[in-house]
Amino acid sequence: MGKVKVGIIGCGNISQIYLENCGKVYKNLEVAAVADLIHDRAKAKASEHGIAKACTVGELLADPEIKIVVNLTIPNAHADVCLKALEAGKSVYVEKPLSVSRDDGRRIKDLAAKKGLLAGGAPDTFLGGGIQTCRKIIDDGWIGRPIAATAFMMGHGHETWHPDPEFYYKPGGGPLFDMGPYYIHALVNLLGPIRRVSASAKAAFETRLITSQPKHGTVIKVETPTHLAGTLDFECGAVGTVIMSFDIWGHTCPCIEIYGSEGTIKVPDPNTFGGPVLLKRYYDGEWVKMPLTHGYTENARGLGVADMASALVSGRKPRAGVDLTFHTLDVMQGFLDSSDSGRSHVPETRCERPAMMPSGLALGEID
């Protein structure tokens, strides 16, 4: 299979790992161009990574050789850039979340279908060896019938360490839209689609004080919930409990656990690609550390881009496709809708569990 040419829009911090992996690791990708609103930043990244073309967004979208646009802009720009890429005849892979509104997510999905193009996006961590091993354990029946799940993402926000933390406290930010996609992608991969959600959400602090550089001393007005407690009813019958928070200084809760009729899996941090994976069956006295059955256990960001490129060539569905990313967006927005209305929310979307990654892949291979 020949290499699929991709163009990257957005040359901020997250672009570094995408450029390294898409340019050097995945055998089916070639980074043909980079673009950024700050042209000097695009030129610097192109020079650092040996990319032939640093250009404007318009020039990148007009390049007929580029087949996939990797959208690494800020969340509020995700939908606009995705729609422009699709209109230009490019498939698009976007950093999380798909968009900051359900309406924009629907527009992306509908336009991709109309144009016969692929759309999808991050996070792709669920394709890594850790969560793929958990998926195999569940599918092979090691814990019996899945009954319940818990997911906890709790910390105290970004203002103490991030150089530019304001957007995390605006609509489309908060712990839910920032970190929720990692957890929901993982849970849907493990348990399948979600049929109902409910939640209570609030902001514990009206303002946040930035203590990191270069904006030390700046006060942020909080405009989005920073603590959410929710429940998920999965189509498979399992019930999930979720807490997402930027209001907690410390905790001892696991990232994700899946509880079955015959055992429990402790799932690794869904913000990572590797392990450890711990299993406790009903007859075991202790937790057992399971060997990982799949590869890509290091920081493999861009794996979803390589998978989309493979899907583009073969005609199959991408594993991190728009059905999954839009379902995740619908569920997250449903949490907020439920909190506002005091009623459960039934997602309008549905998706199949993504196909498992093959085991035994060499580094850089997808299929």
Side-chain angles (χ1 to χ4, degrees):
M1 181 171 63
K3 292 189 175 184
V4 175
K5 292 189 177 183
V6 304
I8 293 179
I9 297 177
C11 295
N13 289 339
I14 193 64
S15 70
Q16 187 70 15
I17 189 64
Y18 276 92
L19 288 163
E20 290 175 5
N21 288 345
C22 294
K24 299 174 185 176
V25 174
Y26 301 116
K27 298 175 182 179
N28 64 340
L29 296 180
E30 177 186 341
V31 181
V34 292
D36 193 277
L37 290 177
I38 302 173
H39 188 58
D40 286 345
R41 190 155 63 180
K43 287 173 61 179
K45 290 295 183 183
S47 176
E48 179 182 356
H49 294 277
I51 298 164
K53 187 175 180 181
C55 58
T56 67
V57 171
E59 289 169 338
L60 188 150
L61 295 179
D63 187 335
E65 294 192 341
I66 292 174
K67 303 304 179 184
I68 298 175
V69 168
V70 181
N71 179 1
L72 306 182
T73 59
I74 62 172
N76 282 327
H78 282 182
D80 181 59
V81 173
C82 284
L83 292 168
K84 286 178 178 176
L86 292 166
E87 287 287 4
K90 319 293 187 188
S91 293
V92 64
Y93 182 94
V94 60
E95 248 303 323
K96 49 81 185 174
L98 176 65
S99 68
V100 298
S101 78
R102 191 183 287 119
D103 287 344
D104 282 340
R106 188 183 302 106
R107 279 192 280 271
I108 293 168
K109 181 178 180 180
D110 290 348
L111 184 58
K114 178 182 176 181
K115 293 277 191 176
L117 299 167
L118 299 180
D124 52 7
T125 45
F126 74 94
L127 300 176
I131 293 175
Q132 288 292 302
T133 297
C134 295
R135 168 75 176 268
K136 179 171 173 54
I137 289 171
I138 292 172
D139 288 2
D140 287 352
W142 284 61
I143 65 167
R145 175 173 54 87
I147 293 170
T150 55
F152 301 104
M153 197 303 297
M154 299 186 290
H156 211 268
H158 296 62
E159 67 272 18
T160 61
W161 61 271
H162 197 283
D164 192 24
E166 287 99 328
F167 75 88
Y168 290 102
Y169 298 99
K170 296 183 182 298
L176 180 60
F177 276 73
D178 178 39
M179 294 301 296
Y182 292 99
Y183 288 76
I184 298 172
H185 273 206
L187 288 168
V188 171
N189 173 65
L190 296 173
L191 297 175
I194 296 158
R195 67 175 182 83
R196 185 175 63 181
V197 304
S198 60
S200 293
K202 64 175 290 183
F205 305 95
E206 293 182 356
T207 61
R208 298 279 183 141
L209 177 66
I210 298 177
T211 58
S212 59
Q213 296 296 340
K215 296 186 176 182
H216 184 278
T218 302
V219 175
I220 305 170
K221 181 181 177 183
V222 177
E223 302 176 49
T224 193
T226 52
H227 184 95
L228 178 140
T231 58
L232 301 162
D233 293 320
F234 292 87
E235 286 188 8
C236 72
V239 176
T241 302
V242 176
I243 295 179
M244 300 273 159
S245 184
F246 282 169
D247 296 337
I248 292 173
W249 288 110
H251 69 92
T252 57
C253 296
C255 290
I256 298 176
E257 288 184 343
I258 308 295
Y259 311 107
S261 58
E262 298 178 15
T264 297
I265 301 176
K266 191 181 294 288
V267 180
D269 183 348
N271 193 22
T272 66
F273 287 83
V277 174
L278 301 178
L279 173 67
K280 190 176 189 304
R281 303 193 74 194
Y282 66 94
Y283 50 73
D284 290 328
E286 303 292 336
W287 290 92
V288 177
K289 185 176 181 180
M290 301 297 289
L292 300 186
T293 58
H294 288 68
Y296 292 111
T297 60
E298 302 301 323
N299 189 344
R301 279 178 170 79
L303 182 55
V305 182
D307 181 74
M308 178 176 282
S310 176
L312 196 63
V313 172
S314 67
R316 65 168 172 83
K317 287 186 176 182
R319 292 176 171 90
V322 72
D323 288 348
L324 174 62
T325 52
F326 187 32
H327 186 59
T328 292
L329 174 64
D330 191 10
V331 167
M332 293 191 300
Q333 187 61 56
F335 275 140
L336 299 182
D337 292 345
S338 172
S339 181
D340 289 342
S341 69
R343 298 188 298 271
S344 296
H345 171 77
V346 176
E348 65 178 60
T349 59
R350 191 186 182 282
C351 68
E352 301 294 335
R353 296 168 81 202
M356 284 189 66
M357 293 286 288
S359 60
L361 291 174
L363 185 65
E365 293 180 347
I366 302 300
D367 294 309

